[in-house]
């Protein structure tokens, strides 16, 4: 298969993830949708890496995976903190950022 | 053969992605994401990225998803239904945004005029995408990003523990006010014995404040 096909799949997955962030209100599912978008970017990066025959894109994809793991830990920590304080687990209810 | 595998894995990845946003139960969303990640790893293998595919399956579909499952089963009880879905108008709007994004990305990527986009990529060199090549790159050319990424992981781990740890008496919030999460919570001294493993195990009784 040509590289263009992989990029098309990547674009589709990215758009599905973006639509999911818009449509869902559960922060857990929103985090999952962020994962989808990051993975779509990874697929494109690895596709380009293959296109140039160069390993740099794969390193970039690995770093993106590290960043995704960080985002997940902090996001899930926030959700657990919300749950502990009996806050509603719903992004529409969390309107205010109070320092 | 690789065409068949591409279509199976690509359809699996897209179906998994749709499952993540369409399924109502967050646990099923997580399972759909696991399927999506494994299909994506197959696509990575087709692109000759062996090491990234292995890391994807072991780290992502393994470790990170287990963390998700833990939190979903910790938070998602039936008593407090989470995340009602928005109305039909908002759903259609999001669908339209997603479709517009697909069109835009197709134009941006496929219309970019990159000549190699219609080919199978550069000629395959033995050892491309192997752990050896990745390790060599990480420790020579990309040493600084590698170190920064490890510090980022450390900061995220400490931050998550600080955010999620338990503080006696603070869980209910201040009397008469809606509960909040604030930075001040992190700085307030905690009562003796709270936020420890001994408390979690029920071996320390935390008195009333």
């Amino acid at each position: 298969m040509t590289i263009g096909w992989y990029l098309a799949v990547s674009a589709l997955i990215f758009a599905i993830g973006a639509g999911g962030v818009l449509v869902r209100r559960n922060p857990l599912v929103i985090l999952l949708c962020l994962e989808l978008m990051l993975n779509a970017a990874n697929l494109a990066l690895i596709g380009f890496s293959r296109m140039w025959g160069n390993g740099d894109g794969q390193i970039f994809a690995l770093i993106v995976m590290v960043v995704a793991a960080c985002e997940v830990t902090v996001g899930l920590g926030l959700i657990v903190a919300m749950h502990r304080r009996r806050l509603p687990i719903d992004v529409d209810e969390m309107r205010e950022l109070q320092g | 053969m690789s065409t068949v595998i591409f279509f199976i894995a690509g359809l699996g990845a897209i179906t998994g992605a749709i499952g993540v946003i369409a399924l109502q139960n967050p646990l099923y969303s997580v399972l759909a994401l696991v399927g999506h990640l494994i299909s994506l790893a197959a696509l990575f293998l087709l692109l000759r990225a062996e090491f990234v595919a292995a890391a994807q399956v072991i780290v992502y579909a393994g470790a990170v998803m287990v963390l998700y499952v833990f939190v979903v089963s910790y938070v998602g009880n039936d008593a407090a239904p989470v995340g009602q879905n928005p109305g039909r108008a908002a759903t259609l709007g999001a669908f339209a945004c997603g479709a517009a994004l697909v069109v835009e990305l197709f134009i941006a990527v496929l219309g970019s005029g990159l000549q190699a986009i219609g080919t199978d990529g550069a000629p395959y060199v033995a050892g491309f995408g192997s752990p050896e090549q990745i390790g060599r790159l990480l420790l020579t050319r990309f040493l600084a990003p590698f170190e920064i990424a490890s510090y980022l992981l450390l900061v995220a781990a400490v931050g998550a523990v600080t955010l999620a740890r338990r503080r006696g008496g603070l869980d209910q919030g201040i009397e008469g006010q809606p509960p909040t999460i604030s930075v001040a919570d992190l700085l307030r001294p905690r009562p003796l014995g709270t936020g420890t493993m001994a408390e979690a195990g029920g071996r320390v009784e935390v008195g009333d404040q």
Side-chain angles (χ1 to χ4, degrees):
Chain A
M1 298 308 293
T2 62
I3 302 292
W5 281 91
Y6 292 93
L7 297 179
V9 171
S10 150
L12 268 174
I13 294 171
F14 187 88
I16 291 170
V21 171
L22 291 174
V23 90
R24 299 297 300 260
R25 288 188 193 162
N26 185 342
L28 276 164
V29 180
I30 288 182
L31 278 177
L32 291 175
C33 292
L34 292 181
E35 300 281 316
L36 283 181
M37 293 160 77
L38 288 167
N39 274 309
N42 269 352
L43 182 58
L45 283 170
I46 290 182
F48 285 125
S49 164
R50 176 83 188 90
M51 186 166 117
W52 297 110
N54 187 333
D56 296 5
Q58 299 187 9
I59 304 285
F60 204 156
L62 281 174
I63 302 281
V64 168
M65 284 169 69
V66 170
V67 172
C70 293
E71 164 242 317
V72 165
T73 37
V74 173
L76 290 179
L78 268 176
I79 291 173
V80 168
M82 281 158 68
H83 182 69
R84 286 251 167 86
R85 286 164 178 73
R86 310 284 188 276
L87 288 165
I89 312 269
D90 186 334
V91 285
D92 280 3
E93 303 286 328
M94 306 278 293
R95 292 204 178 87
E96 296 167 32
L97 286 174
Q98 298 171 331
Chain B
M1 185 63 196
S2 78
T3 311
V4 176
I5 298 176
F6 172 82
F7 277 107
I8 293 173
L11 277 178
I14 291 170
T15 315
I18 291 173
V20 169
I21 69 169
L23 292 168
Q24 292 304 310
N25 189 335
L27 189 61
Y28 294 154
S29 289
V30 175
L31 293 181
L33 189 67
V34 173
H36 164 84
L37 291 174
I38 291 173
S39 308
L40 216 55
L43 288 181
F44 288 175
L45 274 182
L46 285 180
L47 286 169
R48 310 272 188 183
E50 305 156 17
F51 180 74
V52 183
Q56 172 99 354
V57 170
I58 295 170
V59 177
Y60 232 132
V64 174
M65 289 301 120
V66 167
L67 193 65
Y68 264 111
V69 170
F70 271 132
V71 172
V72 166
S73 36
Y74 178 67
V75 170
N77 53 353
D78 297 333
V82 290
Q84 308 296 315
N85 277 336
R88 181 161 288 275
T91 311
L92 282 178
F95 189 75
C97 284
L101 196 59
V102 169
V103 173
E104 184 190 342
L105 285 173
F106 273 21
I107 292 171
V109 169
L110 302 181
S112 60
L114 286 170
Q115 284 166 357
I117 240 172
T119 68
D120 284 346
Y124 175 65
V125 183
F128 175 73
S130 62
E132 187 195 341
Q133 191 207 12
I134 301 286
R136 204 177 286 280
L137 280 172
L138 270 181
L139 289 180
T140 54
R141 202 162 146 209
F142 296 100
L143 185 61
F146 179 63
E147 293 292 334
I148 294 170
S150 53
Y151 277 113
L152 186 65
L153 271 177
L154 178 68
V155 169
V158 172
V161 170
T162 317
L163 272 174
R165 84 176 164 168
R166 199 177 127 97
R167 282 170 196 74
L170 294 182
D171 284 354
Q172 312 305 324
I174 301 155
E175 200 68 36
Q177 287 180 16
T180 56
I181 295 178
S182 86
V183 180
D185 287 354
L186 305 179
L187 306 175
R188 209 171 310 182
R190 56 186 171 80
L192 206 65
T194 58
T196 58
M197 292 301 282
E199 184 207 22
R203 280 188 285 130
V204 174
E205 287 294 322
V206 181
D208 292 334
Q209 305 303 306

